[in-house]
Amino acid sequence: MNKKDVVIIGGGIIGVAIAYQLAKRGKSVTVLEKDTVGAHSSGAAGGMLGAQVEFSEPGPLVDLSLRSRAMFTELAKELCEASGIDIGLNKAGMLRVAWTEEEAEALQKRGAWQQAMGLNAEWLDRVEVKRIEPMVSDEIAGALYLQDDAQISAPDTTRAFAVAAARHGAAIRERCEALEIERTDNRITSVLTTQGRLTADYYVLAAGAWSGRLARMLNLPLDVFPIKGEAFSVFSTLQPIQKTLYSHGCYIVPKDGNRLLVGASSADCGFDNRITIDGLQQLMAKALRLLPALKSCPLERTWASLRPQTKDGLPYFGPVASFDNLLAATGHYRNGILLSPLTGEIIARMITGEDIDVSLAPFTDKRHAQPVF
Ligand code: GLY
């Protein structure tokens, strides 16, 4: 049997980012993906690097998100060199829109704590917003301008990590499903897959919304569950939008090819990822409120995928207690694309024994998932 250093279960952006960092360090790595790389939430994501837009208060996830966002400039160059793929880094910033005075006040408070952290967060009134994005609704109260929240192409970035990992020697096995995770006492010994049995020194569970199901094979109560997001895109016939527009439960992200990506609903309906009329209708209504001229744009496509949420809203990063050689990197919910560079780096460093200069205590201390027998 060809024993690897590391087997990673899951070929979403988290799995392939870890594979890239490990392969770059000379480790032999296999990624197992039950479908194709990026086939689920990584390929469906809007690609917002919303380290500021996504968070209403400071906290450990904000700190990690800022660290990860800062990695994208170098990463874009590195991945382009290693894979030939341009990840489409767009640094035009985001506008978090308020509709009422109450909301404006809350966003100004958010701007204040972000400024106190040394971040760019500027409150703009309606006239100022319309000066930089004239197509935005006349009904808005104003917007928080977050000039450093960028965006990328999530499918291209996922592919770029995978191609770059493969060029450094990683094996990426698509249509390869983990059927059983086999153990002896506190060690994982192998993964039985639809393409045979694989063995490694370390195993990483990075299977997004499916991680909870896989963990249950080991009686691990890893509380990861799916939250559906529906989205659509249009071919824009409008005066171009430069900045990502973000409002309640709706964001409009300008993409290459004069397209606008509109996301995303949020529904707890298990593993059912079918698009519903209700979900789409509500999302379209929100998008039209934000950008009324959208109504004349031809629809390109619609899609849905499952975000990996956790009960406490925090991702899992690192060793799973009671197992000597199992790590979890999952539960990134709305922030998997944003957190992918840092997650790849952290998990690779944990496996190679390098120093990690970020505090992971809030993510690890209280949730060393213990097996339940
Ligand atoms: N990151 C945005 C979303 O999950 O919809």
Side-chain angles (χ1 to χ4, degrees), residues 44-50 53-54 87-95 133 136 149-155 230-236 238-247 249-264 283 286-287 290-291 294 297 300 303 307 334 337:
M48 289 186 297
L49 307 180
V53 86
E54 288 281 0
I87 67 168
L89 179 61
N90 172 331
K91 294 182 166 182
M94 298 197 190
L95 290 165
E133 288 296 359
V136 172
D149 268 354
Q151 55 123 335
I152 49 159
S153 161
E230 290 146 301
F232 67 93
S233 58
V234 300
F235 297 107
S236 178
L238 318 177
Q239 181 177 335
I241 310 290
Q242 308 299 334
K243 304 188 187 313
T244 294
L245 308 176
Y246 195 124
S247 171
C250 177
Y251 44 82
I252 302 178
V253 193
K255 292 291 180 188
D256 286 350
N258 211 17
R259 289 156 55 251
L260 296 172
L261 184 156
V262 183
L283 184 62
K286 287 176 186 171
L290 198 50
L291 204 58
L294 202 66
C297 294
E300 183 190 27
W303 65 94
R307 306 175 181 94
R334 298 178 65 90
I337 307 299

Side-chain angles (χ1 to χ4, degrees), residues 107-151:
L107 283 181
Q108 284 163 13
K109 278 194 190 138
R110 183 187 304 207
W113 67 253
Q114 295 189 347
Q115 282 169 6
M117 288 175 73
L119 302 170
N120 285 312
E122 185 187 356
W123 176 255
L124 303 180
D125 66 22
R126 187 177 61 78
V127 175
E128 290 166 323
V129 173
K130 299 256 330 168
R131 199 174 296 134
I132 55 174
E133 288 296 359
M135 303 306 286
V136 172
S137 165
D138 292 338
E139 309 294 316
I140 66 166
L144 190 61
Y145 175 34
L146 304 168
Q147 67 189 66
D148 299 320
D149 268 354
Q151 55 123 335

Side-chain angles (χ1 to χ4, degrees), residues 24 51 58 70 73 91 100-101 145 155 164 171 201 224 248 251 260 268-269 274 276 281 317 329 363 366:
K24 217 171 73 169
T73 304
K91 294 182 166 182
T100 62
E101 285 314 314
Y145 175 34
D201 292 329
V224 184
H248 289 303
Y251 44 82
L260 296 172
D268 185 355
C269 43
R274 289 173 296 182
T276 63
Q281 190 185 28
F317 291 109
F363 305 92
K366 63 189 173 74

